[in-house]
Amino acid sequence: MSMPAGYSLPGYGQMVECEPRMGVYAEALRRAITPGCTVIDLGASFGAFALLACKYGAGRVIAIEPDPSIELMMPLAQANGCADRIMVVRDISTRYTPETRADVIVSDCRGTMPLFQHHVATLADARARLLAPGGTLMPMRDTIQAALVHSAKLGRSVTRPWLENRYGMDLAAGYRFAVNSFQKAYLKPKDLVSQPVPIAEVDYRSITEPNLDTSVTLIAERSGPVHGLLLWFDAEIAEGLGYSNAPGAPELVYGQMFLPLDGAPTLAAGGHIALRFRGTLIDGHYVWNWDWQAFTPDGESAGRPVRQSTFLSQIHSPKALASVSNQHIPVLDTRMMLDRDCLALVGDGSSLDAIAKTLHERHPEHLPTYKAALDHASRCLGRYSS
């Protein structure tokens, strides 16, 4: 659906400089584009793929992006001599209905993992509604890999300052949050304790299910403590064209996902971790669960089963939890009242100026000036604009 990603403009710029990622996408576009074809750049940011599509001969390019970075698209298109071939859609892709379907759709809506926000739903919808029969969808597939890792540095980042610190403070209550948090990492092959194991194939030409539930066995190749799991993906953008954010590959903007193992179990060579890994999309964000148990080389249990989840990394106040209970009785407070009255003034053709003046007249005790009323109305209505 290409929701606003919150990246800074320098962050988007880093994507253009990220190799071999950018070079692979460029070559895939060059091969796929035929003179005069229609291309959709999905989650376009400021439109680097859109500009390349024009350079390679596309007749029409639709750049879809709800993030404000899209405002740079047309100045760049004019500078590159292709403004007459580019149409900007400042919205999420699921609300866009094309006049004709595209011959090529290109996107990179991933995060550290391919399963990121509404990525799967976005591409499934684009495949069904926006892509012409026989058209080209980029990326084609991603394969998610997992391995056991030893990293003293990442291990310390989980235990310190919670279980040990130089000031002698007891901060142990914070450990359970730290040990259930994932970190972006850039580890090397030497950090791997096991061989990588593929845990999922994300084929964008057919996938519809955003959630993941898989079980694998990860076998230690050397003895020692295992600080966590490392996950990454091997990307195939088009047939024979791809890249990876694996340890040992060039460092890419995505990084890798490090998930701590509680207690950093020590395995002997030949011992293994039995892992059940799940990713569940909830309210636009993934909750990651990793349930595991360590075993000796003889297959005997080397510890209790452990359940970890990024849900447990979040600190929730009792008040916040109570407010989402189905037994909670909401009380109309001042902000709710002002928002209710503001929204009630929408829909009859009133301008923001008129809405602000009315709010000021009705609630002078809470909005004592026209500017205060205008600021409130702008913030309130801004929550409903995309």
Side-chain angles (χ1 to χ4, degrees), residues 45-174:
S45 70
F46 61 79
F49 292 158
L51 295 174
L52 281 176
C54 288
K55 179 179 179 180
Y56 296 144
R60 185 168 184 255
V61 178
I62 299 100
I64 304 177
E65 176 61 75
D67 188 86
S69 59
I70 194 64
E71 299 304 327
L72 194 54
M73 174 78 266
M74 292 315 294
L76 293 177
Q78 291 166 1
N80 285 272
C82 55
D84 59 330
R85 288 183 282 158
I86 291 180
M87 182 180 82
V88 170
V89 177
R90 297 170 176 83
D91 203 347
I92 59 175
S93 59
T94 51
R95 290 203 288 254
Y96 170 66
T97 301
E99 295 176 5
T100 57
R101 297 191 179 198
D103 303 294
V104 178
I105 294 179
V106 59
S107 71
D108 185 359
C109 301
R110 309 173 184 92
T112 303
M113 295 291 288
L115 303 180
F116 180 70
Q117 296 181 358
H118 295 286
H119 185 202
V120 170
T122 295
L123 291 195
D125 174 77
R127 185 181 70 231
R129 294 192 312 108
L130 309 182
L131 186 65
T136 300
L137 184 66
M138 304 178 191
M140 191 164 72
R141 72 167 67 88
D142 291 326
T143 301
I144 302 174
Q145 307 274 2
L148 303 175
V149 294
H150 172 95
S151 170
K153 181 179 179 181
L154 286 174
R156 284 193 299 272
S157 73
V158 174
T159 60
R160 297 183 63 91
W162 313 111
L163 299 183
E164 51 182 323
N165 58 80
R166 68 180 65 183
Y167 302 105
M169 295 182 291
D170 185 346
L171 304 178

Side-chain angles (χ1 to χ4, degrees), residues 87-339:
M87 182 180 82
V88 170
V89 177
R90 297 170 176 83
D91 203 347
I92 59 175
S93 59
T94 51
R95 290 203 288 254
Y96 170 66
T97 301
E99 295 176 5
T100 57
R101 297 191 179 198
D103 303 294
V104 178
I105 294 179
V106 59
S107 71
D108 185 359
C109 301
R110 309 173 184 92
T112 303
M113 295 291 288
L115 303 180
F116 180 70
Q117 296 181 358
H118 295 286
H119 185 202
V120 170
T122 295
L123 291 195
D125 174 77
R127 185 181 70 231
R129 294 192 312 108
L130 309 182
L131 186 65
T136 300
L137 184 66
M138 304 178 191
M140 191 164 72
R141 72 167 67 88
D142 291 326
T143 301
I144 302 174
Q145 307 274 2
L148 303 175
V149 294
H150 172 95
S151 170
K153 181 179 179 181
L154 286 174
R156 284 193 299 272
S157 73
V158 174
T159 60
R160 297 183 63 91
W162 313 111
L163 299 183
E164 51 182 323
N165 58 80
R166 68 180 65 183
Y167 302 105
M169 295 182 291
D170 185 346
L171 304 178
Y175 172 72
R176 73 180 183 94
F177 299 100
V179 80
N180 286 289
S181 301
F182 81 82
Q183 298 183 47
K184 185 175 179 177
Y186 288 94
L187 296 186
K188 304 298 182 184
K190 66 179 179 61
D191 300 314
L192 300 186
V193 174
S194 70
Q195 287 294 318
V197 173
I199 63 171
E201 181 179 274
V202 184
D203 192 325
Y204 300 110
R205 298 165 299 179
S206 58
I207 191 169
T208 57
E209 171 56 53
N211 298 329
L212 171 64
D213 188 342
T214 185
S215 296
V216 296
T217 298
L218 301 170
I219 302 172
E221 294 190 318
R222 66 177 191 267
S223 300
V226 178
H227 294 107
L229 308 169
L230 194 72
L231 286 84
W232 64 88
F233 63 93
D234 301 328
E236 192 171 359
I237 307 306
E239 204 69 53
L241 289 172
Y243 55 81
S244 175
N245 59 339
E251 292 188 0
L252 302 178
V253 293
Y254 316 101
Q256 303 138 2
M257 176 185 281
F258 172 76
L259 297 169
L261 292 183
D262 191 0
T266 296
L267 294 182
H272 70 270
I273 295 287
L275 170 70
R276 181 186 180 192
F277 181 76
R278 288 171 290 158
T280 307
L281 185 64
I282 299 175
D283 194 24
H285 297 277
Y286 276 89
V287 173
W288 305 106
N289 295 273
W290 57 109
D291 304 339
W292 60 275
Q293 187 172 11
F295 291 87
T296 69
D298 296 328
E300 297 181 1
S301 171
R304 61 181 176 82
V306 181
R307 302 186 67 180
Q308 293 181 247
S309 172
T310 52
F311 177 79
L312 299 177
S313 70
Q314 303 170 42
I315 300 176
H316 300 282
S317 72
K319 181 179 179 181
L321 290 175
S323 70
V324 296
S325 165
N326 63 355
Q327 302 300 312
H328 174 64
I329 300 174
V331 176
L332 185 67
D333 61 19
T334 299
R335 190 183 70 169
M336 290 181 187
M337 176 187 65
L338 295 176
D339 283 357

Side-chain angles (χ1 to χ4, degrees), residues 13-28:
Q14 288 173 12
M15 294 179 183
V16 178
E17 289 294 297
C18 180
E19 298 294 352
R21 169 196 175 273
M22 191 64 184
V24 169
Y25 266 103
E27 177 60 17

